């Protein structure tokens, strides 16, 4: 029997100790054994299985199709195991894991029914000392927590829950023997996946079933049955390609990625896509029904409302239906469920739903449950109240790293990891699907195999190089944490009180635990770390230590996605196009982007430029006017751009700053070279100031703004206005400005290529705009002009922009000249990303800050 096996393996030193004999631990043991590492696995359970050992409640199944929820490391294993259902039951998955354990003879290195209580790093021996609850102590070089993400049950936290004298069950620790609810009055507390899966089956037995719901949950029908023919055919026709597609997918399940944005699609498209996902009964389908489900509240609301409609159509009693409709969190921000007849169950006469938001539980009594307004008597209570997810199982072991550092203490304010695999201060310590990895947002088996492979390859690398230890650097870890946070912050996930956020456990630090950018991106990142000589890790051995320190991902997640997309298009460099082609290309890209927010109105007109009329477009806020005015100049290197090119940005600035934006289409090079654009800008500013009232503006409240070359002419216009003594300008807003023709600052070298605006393209712009002899003129290079007595300025620079350093220099020079300056350095952004409204969501925060500063310029105006 499994219980006795492995008992003799844990008495001496080993290379690796692993905690957990579920999907992760089993594969890790297999891999490490193949590599020749002596390994022992501990598990508190009496057999293999991990989560599938414990969660034996009625109805327990996986929620990823079983064809995909399987190991892929051994093609022969795949051929000798056949799943009977689309979503296999817990007993079948447990049988599979037992089969795997037998097939690879894994049990002889697993110690069952044994809890690892502590693991402490012994610096002098460069070993971990591991202690178990049966008094064993062993030393190992490497220590791995393969303890699962949802394996530490959360206490129900309900007053009196020990008092109940009837039968008490926890879905997460279900008895091995049969549980029969026939003839019983049963309560279920909790309506997450465990509750939703078990409730219909408990209802089928119980005389009375009362469900206590605190938060209504989104659930779609699983439509279980035989494994989906389409998936099976795809898998069987080319197993390698199918598995590789899973590894290169977003969520670890092969599937098409839609380009339909729910925020912009019409109702017909929305409905058709939703119905098809509803029919498919797959989590990844419904979560991927639009490409912006987790990014846009508009898109999310569409899906949420359609699910609510379905609930209302299924549940007969309108009040019960309404109580079952989730309304307090975006769809997907808590893990949605797949069910079999969950909502239908509430149509049964002996099933009742209690809404704890309206009538909270006061206490568990010895015979049932007292809510604020009612007393219930039960024979059995089932708690489906969830887990201390992701970090809980790891810090449940007393893990102590270098210098006595406790992991529990280190993570008290939220986990801090490098790649979700390692953490500073804990050498030779790994977590499988730890916080900061895609883990629970992905098909776990795909993530597990990738993690295990990475760890095993790492250990092999260390061994081959005669290295003894590996540990991430503080820089790499801080960079990864930032990257994980940045990724989460543009999604709707942080808006929910979910276990993803640690919000289900009282007192737990609130932090988004998994990594959102997908298993494809994550895998590429982990591989790149290795390819770059284990970037961000210190590797040490008898011969000394080596470290290629650095941050693996510095671009904002959405900026990186845009760049990847552009790379796939294999566009020719713009500087190799004719001006006409470049303009035509710009127009095509403009037609394919989101339109930006609605404003009160837009008005196209003409104003007097330096050498004739110029078109302008005015954006008026929906609020009551008059409003402050902004004269805005578009980007495009003096060569490209139009009223349309910066339209979404102007709309965004209009709404955010509650100002009238007048976007001016100045003359372009090469048809009109320097100083035409600058002269037009100054003329336009004068005209706008003179016509403020007519435009619906407040006379005297004028800010001059621009992006890139538009910021160049905006800055010049401010200098010319100062020299002319009018008009009065309340502030200048310069977004990634061109301010100097000296193209030799470090940012020109560092960001010369790969970030849309290249150094070569910038040279092309300058060549079209100004003769070399003119480029030092302050009207071309405002940085070289007189900077005193200029209006207060906001300078926004982007980290990965050739123009970054000249923008910073302008901010510094203005400050030195006594001008009030705000410098916003946009971390992880490129020259164009801040203007990509509703595409690069991480730019929204910068634009919000820009608008705040803009408004402060207006507020600072002292009325005459
Ligand atoms: O746990 P949960 P779960 N009083 O945390 C409620 C995976 N999984 O075990 O939301 C009253 O989701 C709590 O209410 P609230 C899957 O990833 C997968 O169901 O905190 N109610 C909630 O309704 C899943 O997401 C499968 O307001 C209390 C429920 O209990 C994860 O495991 C199957 C309460 C807990 O829901 C966790 O699912 C099962 C209290 N004091 C699980 N405390 C598959 O299909 C908590 N609740 C593969």
């Amino acid at each position: 029997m499994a219980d006795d096996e492995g008992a003799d393996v844990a008495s001496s030193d080993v290379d690796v100790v692993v905690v957990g004999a579920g999907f992760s631990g089993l594969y890790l043991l297999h891999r490490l054994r193949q590599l020749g590492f002596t390994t022992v696995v501990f598990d508190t359970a009496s057999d293999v299985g991990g989560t599938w050992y414990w969660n034996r409640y009625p109805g327990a199944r996986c929620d990823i199709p079983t064809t995909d929820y399987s190991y892929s490391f051994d093609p022969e294993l795949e051929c000798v195991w056949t799943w009977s259902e689309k979503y296999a039951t817990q007993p079948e998955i447990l049988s599979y894991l037992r089969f795997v354990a037998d097939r690879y003879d894994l049990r002889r290195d697993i110690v069952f029914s044994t809890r690892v209580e502590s693991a402490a790093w012994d610096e002098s021996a460069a070993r971990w000392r591991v202690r178990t609850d049966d008094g064993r102590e062993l030393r190992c070089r490497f220590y791995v927590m393969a303890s699962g993400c949802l394996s530490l049950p959360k206490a129900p936290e309900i007053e009196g829950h020990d008092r109940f004298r009837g039968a008490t069950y926890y879905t997460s620790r279900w008895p091995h023997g049969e549980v029969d609810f026939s003839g019983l009055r049963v309560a279920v507390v909790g309506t997450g996946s465990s509750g939703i899966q078990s409730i219909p089956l408990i209802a089928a037995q119980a005389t009375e079933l009362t469900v206590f719901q605190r938060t209504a949950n989104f659930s779609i029908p699983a439509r279980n049955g035989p494994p989906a023919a389409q998936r099976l055919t795809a898998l069987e026709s080319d197993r390698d390609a199918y598995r590789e597609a899973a590894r290169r997918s977003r969520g670890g399940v092969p599937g098409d990625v839609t380009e339909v944005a729910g925020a912009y699609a019409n109702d017909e498209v929305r409905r058709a896509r939703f119905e098809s996902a509803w029919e498919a009964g797959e989590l990844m389908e419904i979560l991927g029904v639009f490409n912006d489900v987790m990014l846009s509240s508009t898109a999310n609301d569409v899906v949420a409302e359609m699910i609510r409609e379905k609930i209302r159509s299924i549940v007969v009693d309108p009040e019960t239906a309404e109580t079952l409709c989730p309304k307090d969190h975006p769809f997907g921000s808590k893990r949605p469920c797949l069910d079999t007849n969950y909502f239908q169950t509430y149509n049964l006469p002996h099933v009742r739903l209690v809404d704890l938001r309206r009538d909270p539980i006061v206490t568990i009594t010895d015979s049932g449950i007292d809510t604020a307004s009612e007393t219930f008597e039960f024979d059995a209570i089932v708690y489906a109240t969830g887990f201390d997810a992701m970090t809980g199982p790891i810090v449940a072991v007393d893990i102590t790293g270098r210098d006595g550092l406790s992991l529990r203490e280190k993570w008290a304010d939220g986990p801090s990891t490098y790649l979700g695999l390692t953490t500073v201060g804990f050498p030779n310590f790994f977590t499988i699907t730890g916080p900061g990895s895609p883990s629970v947002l992905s098909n776990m088996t795909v993530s597990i195999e990738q993690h295990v492979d990475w760890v095993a390859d790492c250990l092999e690398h260390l061994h081959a190089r005669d290295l003894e230890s590996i540990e991430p650097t503080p820089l790499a870890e801080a960079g990864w944490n930032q990257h994980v946070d940045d990724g989460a912050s543009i999604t709707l996930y942080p808006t929910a009180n979910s276990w993803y956020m640690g919000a289900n456990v009282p007192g737990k630090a609130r932090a988004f635990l998994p990594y959102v950018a997908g298993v494809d991106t994550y895998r590429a990142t982990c591989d790149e770390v290795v390819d770059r000589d284990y970037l961000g890790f210190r590797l040490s051995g008898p011969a000394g230590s080596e470290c290629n320190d650095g941050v693996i991902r510095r671009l904002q997640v959405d900026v990186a996605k845009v760049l990847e997309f552009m790379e796939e298009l294999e566009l020719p460099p713009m500087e190799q196009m004719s001006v006409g082609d470049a303009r035509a290309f710009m127009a095509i890209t403009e037609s394919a982007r989101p339109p930006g927010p609605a404003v009160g109105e837009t008005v196209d007109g003409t104003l007097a430029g330096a050498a004739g009329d110029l078109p302008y477009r005015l954006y008026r806020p929906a609020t009551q006017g008059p409003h402050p005015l902004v004269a805005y100049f578009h980007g495009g290197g003096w060569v490209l751009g139009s009223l349309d090119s910066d339209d979404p940005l102007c709309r965004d600035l209009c709404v955010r700053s509650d100002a009238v934006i007048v976007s001016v289409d100045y003359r372009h090079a090469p048809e009109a070279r320097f100083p035409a654009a600058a002269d037009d800008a100054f003329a336009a500013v004068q005209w706008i100031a003179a016509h403020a009232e007519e435009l619906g503006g407040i006379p005297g409240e004028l800010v001059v703004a621009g992006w890139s070359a538009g910021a160049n002419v905006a800055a010049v216009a401010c200098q010319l206005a100062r020299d002319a003594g009018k008009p009065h300008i309340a502030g200048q807003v310069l977004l990634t400005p061109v301010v100097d023709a000296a193209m030799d600052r470090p940012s020109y070298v560092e960001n010369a290529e790969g970030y849309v605006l290249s150094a070569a393209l910038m040279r092309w712009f300058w060549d079209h705009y100004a003769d070399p002899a003119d480029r030092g003129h302050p009207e071309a290079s405002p940085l070289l002009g007189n900077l005193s007595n200029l209006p207060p300025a906001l300078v926004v620079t982007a980290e990965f922009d050739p123009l970054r350093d000249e923008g910073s220099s302008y901010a510094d020079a203005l400050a030195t000249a006594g001008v009030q300056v705000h410098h916003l350095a946009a971390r992880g952004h490129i020259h164009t990303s801040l203007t990509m409204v509703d595409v690069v969501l991480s730019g929204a925060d910068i634009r919000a800050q820009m608008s705040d500063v803009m408004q402060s310029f207006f507020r600072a105006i002292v009325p005459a």
Side-chain angles (χ1 to χ4, degrees), residues 51-52 55 57 59-64 69 93 150 154-159 171-172 189-197 212-217 283 328-329 334-338 356-357 361 383-387 389 440 497-500 503-504:
T51 199
W52 300 106
N55 290 270
Y57 60 84
R61 294 174 186 276
C62 55
D63 59 6
I64 295 289
Y69 192 73
I93 301 172
L150 293 152
K154 175 187 92 100
E157 295 130 11
I158 302 176
E159 158 73 21
T171 50
S172 53
V189 181
T191 50
S193 301
S194 305
I196 283 178
Q197 285 186 333
F212 291 86
Q213 171 192 280
R214 190 162 64 185
T215 305
N217 225 326
L283 268 189
D328 67 351
H329 61 280
K334 286 184 160 206
R335 189 174 177 97
C337 312
L338 293 183
L356 297 182
R357 300 272 178 216
I361 295 178
Y383 292 100
T385 42
F387 301 87
V440 291
N497 289 321
S498 63
W499 59 257
Y500 292 145
N504 66 329

Side-chain angles (χ1 to χ4, degrees), residues 379-392:
D379 303 305
I381 299 180
V382 175
Y383 292 100
T385 42
F387 301 87
D388 182 350
M390 299 199 72
T391 51

Side-chain angles (χ1 to χ4, degrees), residues 574 582-596 604 616-617 619 632-652 663-666 668 706-710 735 765 832-837 839:
M574 204 176 254
R583 286 176 184 161
F585 171 72
M586 286 276 289
I588 293 169
T589 58
E590 284 159 19
S591 64
R593 71 191 164 172
D604 283 2
Y616 74 80
R617 181 170 300 155
Y619 302 82
Y632 176 83
F633 300 96
H634 65 71
W638 308 281
V639 176
L640 312 172
S642 65
L643 295 183
D644 292 333
S645 63
D646 293 26
D647 187 78
L649 175 65
C650 289
R651 289 170 177 278
D652 188 86
S663 171
V664 181
D665 199 7
Y666 48 93
H668 290 157
W707 167 47
S708 190
L735 176 56
F765 286 141
T832 48
S833 56
L834 296 166
T835 69
M836 301 178 84
V837 176
V839 175

Side-chain angles (χ1 to χ4, degrees), residues 16 18 20-41 71-75 77 100-110 449 452-453 456:
V16 190
V18 177
F23 265 100
S24 307
L26 293 180
Y27 178 45
L28 187 58
L29 173 57
H30 175 64
R31 274 289 327 251
L32 294 178
R33 211 190 250 173
Q34 281 180 325
L35 292 172
F37 290 102
T38 54
T39 305
V40 58
V41 177
Y71 288 120
S72 69
F73 65 85
D74 181 354
L77 168 65
V100 169
D102 291 342
R103 182 179 167 88
Y104 303 101
D105 188 20
L106 298 177
R107 285 195 175 85
R108 67 183 155 88
D109 288 324
I110 305 176
E449 285 193 334
V452 166
D453 287 339

Side-chain angles (χ1 to χ4, degrees), residues 261-264 270 290 292-304:
Y264 304 105
R270 287 169 168 173
F290 305 125
D292 54 353
V293 174
M294 293 312 299
L295 301 173
S296 149
S297 48
T298 308
N300 195 284
D301 286 349
V302 169
V303 184

